[in-house]
Amino acid sequence: MSTAQPAPSSARPATLTERRKAATELEIARTAAALFAERGGAVTAEDIARAAGVAPRTFYRYFRTKEDAVAPLLTWGVRSWTERLAELAAREPELPLGEVLERAAREALTPADARAAEALEWTRGLLHAMRDNPALRAVWHRAHHESELALTEVLARAGAAGPLEVRLAAAAADGALRAAVEVWAAGESDEAPAELAVRGLRLVGAGLPWLAQRRGPGAG
């Protein structure tokens, strides 16, 4: 999954202070993810602060708990495919949404460089640590809930379906992506996470046939 910093939600450019704050937050999140992946729940907030090169008081200025420290990385990771989805759906308005979902998921879960591959491995380690850490699991599920909400907005703009169908599709698609990463992290399949996600999305599409319909002026 991508670890790139997302664009600010506002149209105005971020200030230097905001950029520095975001960079510090992201560095702490990356450090926390690496330490949790390596040591599991034995990691402390002080360990994370020390490894990130910040004072403990600075850590607590950004995060309430050690588990919260991984939230930015997970949130940006699981939402990277939503951003790709929105871009692709707008760029190719006649492409069926099922295909848009698959292509966006494949791009999001195929590391583009060494740092992205490292982030995916951190996610694997985090998922292992989550088995004995309910607080970490809560952060993971919260990130996916945010992803589902964003996905609902994208599908509502791009598709010709009612609110129930859109919400169901968003929940199922996000669930397919989450399940794919969890199956891969657990070593339950030899397939890459991108391939597992595409297979899961095709299962979702089989139950939601409107996702396979062409969109735009030529649809019908």
Side-chain angles (χ1 to χ4, degrees):
M1 295 188 183
S2 171
T3 60
Q5 181 181 336
S9 57
S10 170
R12 77 172 171 79
T15 65
L16 179 60
T17 299
E18 289 170 337
R19 292 198 300 272
R20 285 175 174 168
K21 181 178 178 181
T24 300
E25 185 179 67
L26 183 57
E27 185 57 35
I28 294 172
R30 286 171 173 157
T31 302
L35 288 177
F36 273 116
E38 178 185 344
R39 304 182 199 171
V43 173
T44 66
E46 289 70 24
D47 291 334
I48 297 170
R50 189 181 310 111
V54 301
R57 66 177 179 277
T58 300
F59 175 92
Y60 285 113
R61 193 180 305 143
Y62 286 91
F63 306 106
R64 291 187 306 107
T65 68
K66 63 181 183 179
E67 290 85 7
D68 283 341
V70 303
L73 199 64
L74 293 178
T75 299
W76 296 338
V78 298
R79 291 192 65 175
S80 65
W81 83 299
T82 310
E83 295 167 1
R84 287 174 167 86
L85 173 66
E87 179 185 355
L88 182 58
R91 190 171 68 240
E92 301 193 37
E94 293 188 9
L95 199 65
L97 281 175
E99 187 172 341
V100 174
L101 284 164
E102 290 178 21
R103 285 172 57 176
R106 190 183 296 278
E107 288 180 18
L109 288 173
T110 301
D113 52 35
R115 188 150 202 180
E118 185 178 42
L120 198 56
E121 286 301 322
W122 287 341
T123 302
R124 188 205 296 264
L126 279 172
L127 285 167
H128 288 170
M130 284 175 199
R131 289 179 295 193
D132 302 314
N133 191 322
L136 267 183
R137 287 201 302 273
V139 174
W140 173 247
H141 289 295
R142 187 167 71 240
H144 274 281
H145 177 66
E146 293 176 13
S147 175
E148 183 182 323
L149 293 177
L151 189 57
T152 299
E153 293 180 9
V154 174
L155 293 178
R157 290 196 304 267
L164 175 62
E165 289 81 4
V166 166
R167 287 179 180 272
L168 180 60
D174 182 76
L177 195 74
R178 178 171 58 84
V181 175
E182 290 175 352
V183 165
W184 166 76
E188 296 170 353
S189 172
D190 293 332
E191 293 178 83
E195 299 305 321
L196 287 166
V198 168
R199 189 150 62 87
L201 287 168
R202 287 176 181 169
L203 291 172
V204 168
L208 299 170
W210 66 274
L211 290 174
Q213 297 172 358
R214 292 181 66 236
R215 301 177 297 133

